[in-house]
Amino acid sequence: MPNRVIAVDGPAASGKSTVARKLAAQLHYRYVDSGALYRGLAWKTLALGRNTASPEEVLDTLGMMKVEFFEADGAVRYRIDGYEPRAEIRSESVSSAVSSVAAMPGVRTAVTQWLRDMVRFGNLVMEGRDIGTVVFPAADMKFYLDASPEERARRRHAELTPTGDAADVNRVMSSLQSRDRKDSGRATAPLCIAVDAQVIDTTGLTIDQVVAEIAKRSGG
Ligand code: CDP
């Protein structure tokens, strides 16, 4: 039987990552954070002192770097040129560059292929923006998580503050909204709800309530 895929899509800070990670652990599936790959490419481009708004420079970086995938702690992770970037890819400079990198069609083709190839690791819970629409249109289950902009900004602010990034909630909200606009407005694989996705508004719900709801709907 081919490996199963559960797609969890939605806008920035809608709770996708935490929910998808917990769901994967509960179902004994591998967790995949597709956004981390776009972030990794943006990080590498910046680290080389290159321009993340230039498709030539970004695609050249993509062509030069060696990416390896491996499984650890129930997730599929990656190294770029032998190094695994972790906290670096969550920095404000990467967050503000990533949406323009992710809008480049050549980047999407390469990342989509990497993501599809990950079924070799086993059953997957994959989170992102276009997993149920483009990467795995035939996914076994598709969820689209959303939350109010205020709630999303509060959640992201709470995540950033312990790392010392003293962003205020309003600044976080405007950065999330600008990324959402770019992600929804781009020509290739924009953020949108798959026709067969189950939409869950997570505003006011705890992570465990959302995980329980999804697990119930996916028979887990
Ligand atoms: O965690 P957060 O919601 O802030 O974002 P992320 O999942 O780490 O994704 C970072 C960025 O990568 C998004 O804003 C999109 O521009 C891009 N992305 C994408 O285009 N397609 C995906 N499947 C996942 C992420």
Side-chain angles (χ1 to χ4, degrees):
M1 201 176 76
N3 284 325
R4 289 170 60 88
V5 176
I6 297 179
V8 182
D9 289 303
S14 54
K16 300 182 305 287
S17 307
T18 321
V19 165
R21 194 185 292 278
K22 282 204 160 191
L23 180 69
Q26 196 164 312
L27 299 174
H28 304 289
Y29 280 25
R30 278 85 182 151
Y31 163 71
V32 181
D33 173 2
S34 67
L37 293 172
Y38 294 100
R39 286 177 178 273
L41 175 58
W43 165 77
K44 185 70 182 181
T45 307
L46 290 169
L48 293 175
R50 294 175 154 190
N51 179 2
T52 51
S54 153
E56 291 71 32
E57 293 186 39
V58 171
L59 289 172
D60 190 59
T61 307
L62 178 67
M64 276 170 46
M65 66 194 207
K66 181 167 173 287
V67 184
E68 308 153 79
F69 296 97
F70 61 99
E71 194 184 327
D73 303 326
V76 180
R77 295 180 8 198
Y78 68 89
R79 289 188 200 90
I80 295 177
D81 297 327
Y83 176 75
E84 182 183 21
R86 304 293 301 269
E88 299 94 320
I89 63 169
R90 310 284 156 199
S91 69
E92 190 50 47
S93 54
V94 169
S95 294
S96 35
V98 65
S99 289
S100 66
V101 168
M104 297 171 186
V107 168
R108 299 210 74 82
T109 305
V111 174
T112 297
Q113 194 56 53
W114 287 337
L115 295 170
R116 288 183 179 151
D117 289 345
M118 286 180 189
V119 289
R120 73 191 163 91
F121 287 99
N123 295 328
L124 306 174
V125 175
M126 187 176 285
E127 59 126 325
R129 300 288 186 290
D130 63 339
I131 308 307
T133 51
V134 174
V135 181
F136 288 110
D140 299 86
M141 300 286 302
K142 301 180 186 180
F143 294 95
Y144 185 95
L145 303 190
D146 210 346
S148 70
E150 295 75 18
E151 173 105 2
R152 295 193 287 118
R154 266 196 305 276
R155 288 178 187 165
R156 183 51 49 94
H157 180 256
E159 276 168 19
L160 291 174
T161 315
T163 68
D165 190 332
D168 66 64
V169 182
N170 287 336
R171 195 158 63 85
V172 171
M173 181 143 72
S174 73
S175 140
L176 291 183
Q177 284 177 330
S178 124
R179 200 138 59 82
D180 287 348
R181 267 195 304 277
K182 286 188 202 149
D183 292 343
S184 306
R186 70 184 173 220
T188 312
L191 170 66
C192 63
I193 307 176
V195 283
D196 48 352
Q198 306 196 40
V199 180
I200 300 178
D201 183 348
T202 70
T203 311
L205 296 182
T206 65
I207 295 292
D208 286 338
Q209 285 171 323
V210 180
V211 174
E213 183 60 29
I214 293 188
K216 192 173 81 194
R217 297 191 198 188
S218 48

